[in-house]
Amino acid sequence: MKKILIWGTGTIAKRVLANGLGGELIGFIETEKRNNTFMGLPVYEATEIPDFVDIIIVANACSDEIYQVCIRTGIDLNIVVFMVRGCLTTVNNKIEDLDSVLGERNYIDYQIQYGIKTNTFVDADAKIYKALNQRKNFDIQDEYMWPIISDKHALNGAMGNYFWQDLWAAKKVINSGVREHYDIGSRVDGFISHCLAAGIKVNVIDIRPFSAQVDNLLTIIDDATTLSQFADNSILSMSALCSLEHFGLGRYGDPIDPEACFKCFDNIQKKLKKDGRLYLSLPIGKERVEFNAHRIFYASTVLECFRTLKLQEFSCAFEGRIEYNVEIHKYDNDLHNGEYRYGLFYFMK
């Protein structure tokens, strides 16, 4: 039985373990070692990996970073399997019986990551189908093969952070009784559709118009950084869910401006009228910019930036669940380990 180390102790590592492995797990690796043991097994640094290890399963979102660590420390990449595809990582063809070692669920996840569509369970299923089928029009023909391997072990619906964030904000907007709402950059197929279904008119502030017409949905073409078309003290209900952290980083073709999101913070407060409500979602944790993807904020920074408003609720969406009424400094040192925590802020003016 092959001896396995898992590189990671976060969400992805836990999922790999829950899926089941076909080898002997002897411990874990942390890129920056924080623990001596995890789940009763030793935790190693990259420079202290035992010689008798057969396979290292990288169950961490930082695949390229770990790939480079392997190069620097002389770890044999022939024994390393990256469960999350990076720009540098490739399929490992050196390990015999990799499908058996990873187990069916993990191996399917691995195939999905690298777009492998050969030697999957679909081939075996097709043989059974051919043996049983008696309808000529429904014979399997190679030209019509469309193998999908991602659904076999998928959950019945994904209730991730966006699901909880959008539901949280939509409930509050609907329960507030407003008939018209303004939004900056939230998901059209989530939060905004929830509001539309409740009969609320939604004005989306964007530099681009929508390509389709939807009842009660209006695009206001404006720079959300300045909100120049709106008078001060004019908006009663506004939201921005996982959008403002991107402003000024160039990711969406916008001009580079390190202060862009902070300018928007200031202008939102000016545009809200007395008793106006703001529903805000931002990544929180150890404060930093991960250029050019997004910024991550201390929750206390958000409160300071919105100092003219009164915080009504601070909750968090994380790992497919929601945590209500969180202490402001609870996650100041959170590095996420590949999974982001969204701070949900409800303010009133």
Side-chain angles (χ1 to χ4, degrees), residues 310-314 325 345-349:
K310 184 176 179 181
L311 181 68
Q312 305 296 305
E313 179 185 331
F314 170 55
N325 300 312
F345 301 85
Y346 167 34
F347 291 105
M348 284 190 68
K349 186 170 182 179

Side-chain angles (χ1 to χ4, degrees), residues 28-42:
F28 298 85
I29 306 170
E30 289 182 333
T31 309
E32 296 181 6
K33 186 175 175 181
R34 300 184 302 275
N35 306 290
N36 290 322
T37 62
F38 182 71
M39 299 182 68
L41 294 172

Side-chain angles (χ1 to χ4, degrees), residues 16 22 56 67 82 91 106 131 138 153 156 165 183 195 198 223 236 239 245 259 262-263 291 295 298 306 324 333-334:
V16 167
I56 297 173
Y67 181 95
F82 292 88
V91 173
N106 288 320
F138 292 95
H153 297 295
N156 183 16
Q165 152 195 290
D183 180 81
C195 293
D223 180 357
L236 181 60
S239 58
E245 66 268 25
E259 290 298 307
F262 301 101
K263 292 174 183 176
F291 195 85
R295 300 172 184 85
Y298 291 134
F306 287 91
Y324 293 101
N333 295 314
D334 189 5

Side-chain angles (χ1 to χ4, degrees), residues 41-246:
L41 294 172
V43 175
Y44 300 94
E45 294 182 356
T47 55
E48 58 182 17
I49 296 172
D51 293 335
F52 53 82
V53 171
D54 297 307
I55 296 176
I56 297 173
I57 299 174
V58 178
N60 189 298
C62 302
S63 295
D64 287 337
E65 176 186 334
I66 293 172
Y67 181 95
Q68 291 170 334
V69 171
C70 291
I71 297 294
R72 288 198 305 270
T73 57
I75 295 173
D76 182 5
L77 288 170
N78 288 330
I79 68 168
V80 181
V81 177
F82 292 88
M83 294 300 297
V84 177
R85 185 176 187 174
C87 295
L88 302 176
T89 65
T90 57
V91 173
N92 189 319
N93 295 315
K94 304 296 184 180
I95 299 174
E96 294 184 2
D97 302 321
L98 181 59
D99 55 343
S100 298
V101 176
L102 290 180
E104 182 183 47
R105 292 192 176 197
N106 288 320
Y107 191 62
I108 288 174
D109 288 346
Y110 185 68
Q111 290 175 308
I112 292 168
Q113 284 289 314
Y114 292 92
I116 302 170
K117 294 188 177 181
T118 57
N119 298 321
T120 70
F121 69 88
V122 177
D123 300 325
D125 287 354
K127 289 180 181 179
I128 296 172
Y129 181 95
K130 289 177 180 178
L132 296 175
N133 182 52
Q134 298 182 23
R135 296 178 183 269
K136 183 173 179 53
N137 283 355
F138 292 95
D139 283 344
I140 293 178
Q141 300 178 53
D142 288 344
E143 63 182 306
Y144 297 126
M145 285 292 289
W146 190 340
I148 295 174
I149 63 175
S150 58
D151 294 339
K152 184 173 182 178
H153 297 295
L155 297 176
N156 183 16
M159 294 185 180
N161 291 346
Y162 287 137
F163 171 86
W164 289 110
Q165 152 195 290
D166 292 352
L167 186 62
W168 172 85
K171 281 182 176 180
K172 290 193 177 300
V173 173
I174 293 167
N175 290 338
S176 74
V178 297
R179 305 314 303 162
E180 185 171 12
H181 179 75
Y182 291 80
D183 180 81
I184 303 173
S186 303
R187 288 204 315 163
V188 176
D189 60 347
F191 167 72
I192 290 173
S193 64
H194 297 341
C195 293
L196 292 173
I200 298 171
K201 179 182 178 181
V202 181
N203 303 287
V204 174
I205 302 163
D206 204 317
I207 58 174
R208 306 157 299 179
F210 279 115
S211 58
Q213 301 247 337
V214 180
D215 289 345
N216 274 342
L217 179 61
L218 175 67
T219 305
I220 299 175
I221 308 299
D222 197 5
D223 180 357
T225 305
T226 63
L227 298 173
S228 58
Q229 292 187 41
F230 301 90
D232 290 353
N233 304 302
S234 64
I235 296 176
L236 181 60
S237 184
M238 178 174 276
S239 58
L241 306 180
C242 279
S243 55
L244 305 187
E245 66 268 25
H246 306 296

